[in-house]
Amino acid sequence: MNFVQDDFFYYLKVACNVASGNGSTFNGIVPTNGYHPLWMWALAGMVRIGHGIRFVPIFLGASIWLATMASYFLANSLLKKVNVESVVAASLAVYTAIYAMHVFNYGMEVTFAVPAMLGLILLLQQETWSSGGDKDWIYGVAIGLITTLMVLSRLDTVIFATLIAFGIVFQPALRAKIRLRLLLGVGLGVSPLVAYFLFN
């Protein structure tokens, strides 16, 4: 717990209030949504399961380890996908994972956001989504769901998602590969995110 940023304890205080049934509030009086939701919900779940904060350090350790491993494997796969030589890809993926682990140690929402961003990029690198096959909607749902997880992990990644969408729409070769079933799948996948923003 010596490594986490002070902002983590603001998360934890709200999570304790949510878990104890006092609502989304820091001081017990004024409601707040001043946090990135997925990380706060995960902390609230840990507080609720543990009937207090005793499992939170275990949750942090497990999250950091899993996010670091995911960052390595996703970065390695992404680099290989763009034809980087295996040894070089593995070396760069190790560097990425070590740097990411340093950031994850702060105990903040980037622990979920970084793997989700890498996962989205890797998913969009798959040729299958743009092949026009019967499984278009499945890939669309997958793209929508990982986008939802990414944005709920860190709300400002909606800018990243928007830039990717513009890049696809304004690039003629990619735009030509978009199918209605794919768009419907993406719409279904991002529906929880739309619901979240409407609720707020």
Side-chain angles (χ1 to χ4, degrees), residues 164-177:
I164 288 175
F166 278 138
I168 291 171
V169 168
F170 289 115
Q171 212 286 336
L174 291 176
R175 185 174 64 241
K177 295 179 179 181

Side-chain angles (χ1 to χ4, degrees), residues 128-190:
T128 319
W129 74 266
S130 60
S131 63
D134 292 336
K135 295 183 179 178
D136 274 0
W137 70 276
I138 295 174
Y139 286 96
V141 169
I143 290 167
L145 284 176
I146 200 164
T147 301
T148 295
L149 289 174
M150 179 184 73
V151 175
L152 291 179
S153 295
R154 188 168 171 89
L155 295 171
D156 55 5
T157 59
V158 73
I159 299 168
F160 180 71
T162 303
L163 289 172
I164 288 175
F166 278 138
I168 291 171
V169 168
F170 289 115
Q171 212 286 336
L174 291 176
R175 185 174 64 241
K177 295 179 179 181
I178 297 173
R179 304 289 189 275
L180 178 60
R181 283 179 296 190
L182 179 75
L183 291 177
L184 291 174
V186 171
L188 182 61
V190 298

Side-chain angles (χ1 to χ4, degrees), residues 40-51:
M40 200 284 300
W41 295 337
L43 284 173
M46 288 301 102
V47 172
R48 181 76 174 175
I49 290 168
H51 303 287

